[in-house]
Amino acid sequence: MSDSLDSLLATADVADRRDEVVTGVREHAGRIARELALLQGGDYGSRDFDTDSGTWTVKYEGGALQYLRYDGGREEVYVVSAHSPPDPEALAEALRDYAAFVEAYNAYVESLEGVLDDVDTDFPAVASTESVAAERDRVLDRIRAVSGEMAGQLHRAEGTDYGTFSARVDGTRWELKRERDQVSYLRVGGEGGIYLLSQYGNPPATDVRELVGSVPAFVEAFNERVADLDAGLSRVEL
């Protein structure tokens, strides 16, 4: 029995050689990954390269090689990966095709030489949105002024630091939220709706154009609310 135990062969030499080979491939294929990231204009991506014997896939992340995979038809071999190293026999089979993979990569790069030479970069002039934005802001300034008057009246009547007034205009909910006598926002459409007024910036001009015609109806609804309050108080007797 002891003779059988003594006859076991150690795998350390094979594993060390496998790791040495994988390290060399990682360094070399890592250069390909960096070049692909530079060429494709992003930190993340992958690309396949076909050879006569199979398909190689280079995947990179953050501009660095994430894995190099070889599919020779029988099984996929992760020559380089973040997980366990490949089986030595599978690695050896894949690396017999490695030179063809590099040739396929080089051929791909060479195929792109001059691809942008005849591209016309004399682009049309870009139209200015200055006048559109100015007109939008003019309309919003008027809406902001009217909404500010409403917020002031609400603060005076309700006497609270925070409050809202809402009404339905043509079936759509309009809501004015205030902090004391200042407008916090004017939102149309409830949660996820359009903020005509807010602290985060102005809405698109198209939204302003669509909604500005309904502002008078919202103001009228507010005035009706005030009139109802006034009428209710006028009936109180002391």
Side-chain angles (χ1 to χ4, degrees):
M1 182 67 176
S2 60
D3 291 341
S4 298
L5 292 176
D6 292 339
S7 65
L8 289 176
L9 297 177
T11 62
D13 291 344
V14 177
D16 289 345
R17 178 55 181 161
R18 185 265 319 277
D19 294 345
E20 179 184 350
V21 171
V22 169
T23 297
V25 174
R26 184 188 303 275
E27 179 180 347
H28 188 269
R31 292 164 53 194
I32 293 178
R34 288 191 295 273
E35 294 294 340
L36 286 174
L38 176 64
L39 182 62
Q40 296 185 6
D43 286 339
Y44 305 89
S46 66
R47 188 166 185 88
D48 293 339
F49 297 93
D50 293 327
T51 68
D52 291 339
S53 299
T55 300
W56 291 79
T57 300
V58 180
K59 183 172 177 61
Y60 55 90
E61 183 174 329
L65 180 66
Q66 187 175 26
Y67 68 71
L68 176 65
R69 184 179 64 207
Y70 173 68
D71 185 355
R74 291 189 298 177
E75 63 176 345
E76 294 181 338
V77 181
Y78 283 83
V79 177
V80 176
S81 75
H83 305 293
S84 58
D87 176 80
E89 290 185 351
L91 175 63
E93 179 182 353
L95 291 185
R96 293 188 188 99
D97 195 54
Y98 187 80
F101 154 61
V102 177
E103 290 178 2
Y105 162 77
N106 288 337
Y108 166 67
V109 175
E110 290 173 359
S111 71
L112 298 176
E113 289 292 336
V115 69
L116 297 175
D117 288 353
D118 58 351
V119 172
D120 184 8
T121 56
D122 186 15
F123 305 126
V126 177
S128 172
T129 62
E130 182 177 359
S131 61
V132 176
E135 184 62 14
R136 175 203 58 193
D137 294 348
R138 183 191 68 79
V139 173
L140 287 176
D141 284 344
R142 180 56 186 151
I143 295 175
R144 187 173 290 106
V146 172
S147 298
E149 292 181 29
M150 295 167 66
Q153 296 296 342
L154 287 170
H155 178 57
R156 179 185 302 170
E158 297 175 351
T160 58
D161 288 342
Y162 302 95
T164 60
F165 169 74
S166 62
R168 287 202 168 272
V169 178
D170 297 328
T172 301
R173 177 182 172 87
W174 286 57
E175 182 179 77
L176 173 68
K177 184 175 182 179
R178 66 174 177 85
E179 182 174 344
R180 297 183 63 83
D181 59 352
Q182 301 297 313
V183 177
S184 296
Y185 66 71
L186 175 59
R187 184 176 64 195
V188 183
E191 291 292 337
I194 298 170
Y195 286 82
L196 269 178
L197 303 175
S198 78
Q199 59 181 323
Y200 300 110
N202 294 332
T206 51
D207 289 341
V208 176
R209 176 67 181 87
E210 178 183 353
L211 297 173
V212 66
S214 298
V215 173
F218 180 61
V219 177
E220 289 175 4
F222 172 81
N223 290 339
E224 290 175 3
R225 169 72 178 278
V226 173
D228 290 343
L229 291 174
D230 185 57
L233 287 174
S234 67
R235 291 194 293 269
V236 175
E237 295 183 2
L238 297 178

